[in-house]
Amino acid sequence: MARPAGRLLQGMLKDLPAAATAQLAGTPSRRDLTFRERDVAVLAASGVRSREIAERLGVSVRTVEGHIYRIYEKLDVRSREELAARIRAEDSAGV
């Protein structure tokens, strides 16, 4: 019984935009982040250093680094460059 349901789901996914398909398929996105993590992710991806992010948000540098660590884990990225690429891709896909 699972096979017909799987085929039905695959057919439905073909009709969705790529961003929605990725979200349904379990690909992590910015939506998986907390509001503060999203703020930090956007700033970090745009090249703002941790110290400046901390000053802008009124938190410690250690707190920013903790957010960045969790962002990398949640989005499965390993650098700010990968984070920036992920955010650009989501923005262009309308996620």
Side-chain angles (χ1 to χ4, degrees):
M1 262 222 217
R3 288 186 181 185
R7 283 194 296 268
L8 176 63
L9 179 59
Q10 289 300 321
M12 291 168 51
L13 291 176
K14 286 180 187 177
D15 296 333
L16 293 174
T21 303
Q23 187 69 22
L24 288 173
T27 302
S29 75
R30 264 189 295 181
R31 292 182 182 187
D32 297 320
L33 304 177
T34 66
F35 290 114
R36 184 56 70 143
E37 287 170 344
R38 288 180 202 169
D39 292 342
V40 171
V42 169
L43 290 169
S46 64
V48 180
R49 294 178 179 260
S50 294
R51 183 173 302 281
E52 188 175 339
I53 294 171
E55 290 171 2
R56 287 185 187 188
L57 300 179
V59 298
S60 72
V61 174
R62 186 172 175 152
T63 297
V64 170
E65 293 297 334
H67 284 310
I68 290 172
Y69 174 81
R70 285 184 295 283
I71 291 163
Y72 285 8
E73 289 291 310
K74 287 180 178 182
L75 299 183
D76 193 29
V77 297
R78 291 173 181 78
S79 67
R80 289 184 186 219
E81 291 79 20
E82 284 184 35
L83 177 61
R86 171 67 65 87
I87 288 175
R88 280 193 304 274
E90 289 181 10
D91 286 347
S92 66
V95 174

